[in-house]
Amino acid sequence: MKKNQTNRYPSVGYAAFFMSVLAVSTFVGYKLLGASLNTIMFINWIVMTLCSIPLGYNYEQMEKKALESVGNIMGTFMLMLAIGALAGTWMASGTVPAVMYYGMNILSAKFFLPAALVLCSIVSLATGTSWGTFATMGIALLGIGNGLGIPAGMTAGAAICGSWFGDKISPLSDTTNFTSAVVGADLFTHIRHMMYTTGPSYILSFILFTVLSQRVSSSAVMDTSLIQSTQSGILAAYKLGLPVLLPVVLVFVLLILRKNPTMTLLLGAIAGAAVAVLYQGFTPAAAFGSFWNGFEGTFENEFLTSLLNRGGVSSMLSTAMTMLLCCGIGGMLKEMRVVHVIVGALSKLIRSTFSLVLISEIIAYVAQMLSGSHYFSDVILQSTMLDMFREKRLKPENLSRIMEDCNTIGGVLIPWSSTGLYVVATLGVPFVEYIPYVFLCYLTPLMGLICALTGWGMARYAADEEIPE
């Protein structure tokens, strides 16, 4: 874009002031006024314009650059809508309920905590929602854990680690799609790349929860009534068996063949609707209604009602709009060269890959502490650090991994963040009780630093590979 001759570079002080205004605006609107994140981000377009006036810009210039940035992620926007459609029809087809049903068979008294970890991981992976899993499976597990005499903080820790792990690696997750989109990384490349940090951290968490479980539940006998009632509710509402798993097989085969992800998920959603009609006995109107509006089933079990009635294209619209608005803000920041100035100041501190990753992780936590929003922190990281990763010939999935390691699960460590407040409000377990046991949230960013120090798991551009702008 051709710049007006009156446009000028901001000073380091003004750039810092600009970012502070953006953080304060987000915090006040989101936390104090209770406005939705989309409302705040849209209003921030005006805040950005007002702050850009001293630099010689006007709203038309800002809007044009924002829309250019938004246009670059429309493919991801469509992918997110396809994910919503798939989630809805897979609830109607019985695909996700079947995963839950079989997953509940792994619970035992002696290995309650690691089993809770794995179960929440499975449900979160299948549904794409950490918050939904935590609000349903987490509450159920807390009740079982209390009956076994297991401290509530331990059970909450296992549920948190499992729910957020499954969410991180689920292609149905809004945060997983958001982080890969804002840096321009392929979704499934991003998911695979996270396993360098998330995989070892998850294994270590599993071991730690196994040790804890052996200590606190060696003589406990588990009350399985809640599990049995949930499984009975699934059997009463659905027919299980091989047909309900066919949509999963279809999607995995197409992904292995490297077919377009959006078309793959849309075909998976249609397959789910077909199973719902031909095998579960839903009417075509109800099955395809779940495609757009989400599944709306009737269950005697309130637990199943709260967990399974979700999905649909409409469920992804709010998150997709958040992504578009945040990417627009990122485009404005680049146009005003605020990012350029900040990166120039930070570059003096960055002498190695390790220092680059360390500073990125610090920025992630600080941004989320200031705003309480992991989405806002993602945008700040993308705006300030992406170009620096490119300068060191590091691929964007390295940065999107940091976003997930520090932002997606990092909110659990910040008591006033939206995630921290949600955890306490949902389970009623105080912050100080669960915080010692969220092993995954501590270990994952540490693994990121180890990767940076050793070079293991750091994706780089080849010497003859062109770096995209």
Side-chain angles (χ1 to χ4, degrees), residues 7-11 55 336-337 340-341:
N7 297 156
R8 57 183 180 273
Y9 276 82
S11 64
L55 302 177
M336 288 181 288
R337 294 163 290 184
H340 180 87
V341 171

Side-chain angles (χ1 to χ4, degrees), residues 245-462:
L245 300 178
L246 292 178
V248 179
V249 175
L250 173 65
V251 168
F252 274 107
V253 168
L254 292 176
L255 291 177
I256 290 173
L257 295 175
R258 297 187 178 277
K259 300 302 181 182
N260 179 272
T262 301
M263 296 306 299
T264 294
L265 297 183
L266 281 174
L267 288 172
I270 293 172
V275 171
V277 173
L278 300 176
Y279 188 67
Q280 300 295 355
F282 285 96
T283 65
F288 284 97
S290 66
F291 183 99
W292 187 268
N293 295 316
F295 180 63
E296 297 180 0
T298 301
F299 305 93
E300 293 184 4
N301 189 316
E302 294 183 2
F303 170 71
L304 291 176
T305 301
S306 61
L307 182 61
L308 300 182
N309 284 348
R310 63 180 66 248
V313 172
S314 60
S315 70
M316 299 299 290
L317 290 176
S318 179
T319 300
M321 285 305 303
T322 301
M323 179 183 69
L324 296 184
L325 292 170
C326 289
C327 284
I329 289 175
M332 292 180 182
L333 288 171
K334 287 187 176 182
E335 172 64 11
M336 288 181 288
R337 294 163 290 184
V338 169
V339 174
H340 180 87
V341 171
I342 293 176
V343 167
L346 289 174
S347 62
K348 299 175 183 178
L349 304 173
I350 296 174
R351 302 181 183 276
S352 64
T353 300
F354 178 81
S355 58
L356 175 63
V357 172
L358 176 61
I359 290 175
S360 297
E361 291 191 355
I362 292 173
I363 291 173
Y365 286 117
V366 171
Q368 192 164 185
M369 287 179 183
L370 290 174
S371 66
S373 167
H374 56 271
Y375 288 113
F376 176 81
S377 185
D378 287 341
V379 173
I380 296 302
L381 266 183
Q382 185 269 351
S383 300
T384 56
M385 305 306 293
L386 182 57
D387 288 341
M388 301 193 72
F389 274 76
R390 288 171 175 163
E391 287 178 8
K392 290 193 172 293
R393 302 194 67 81
L394 290 167
K395 292 186 176 181
E397 54 263 33
N398 295 292
L399 182 58
S400 61
R401 182 175 68 191
I402 293 173
M403 292 176 178
E404 295 266 37
D405 292 349
C406 301
N407 290 338
T408 300
I409 64 176
V412 171
L413 307 176
I414 304 170
W416 60 86
S417 72
S418 56
T419 303
L421 292 172
Y422 175 80
V423 168
V424 173
T426 301
L427 287 191
V429 178
F431 177 82
V432 294
E433 289 189 20
Y434 78 72
I435 198 64
Y437 305 107
V438 287
F439 305 122
L440 186 77
C441 303
Y442 298 122
L443 294 170
T444 306
L446 290 177
M447 279 302 306
L449 293 176
I450 292 173
C451 287
L453 187 64
T454 62
W456 180 69
M458 300 300 296
R460 296 181 180 273
Y461 291 102

Side-chain angles (χ1 to χ4, degrees), residues 31 45 51 69 104 148 221 225-226 239 254 281 304 308 311 352 358 408 411 413 429 436:
K31 290 296 179 184
W45 282 38
C51 290
S69 181
M104 286 183 177
L148 292 170
V221 178
S225 59
L226 182 59
K239 291 187 291 184
L254 292 176
L304 291 176
L308 300 182
S352 64
L358 176 61
T408 300
L413 307 176
V429 178

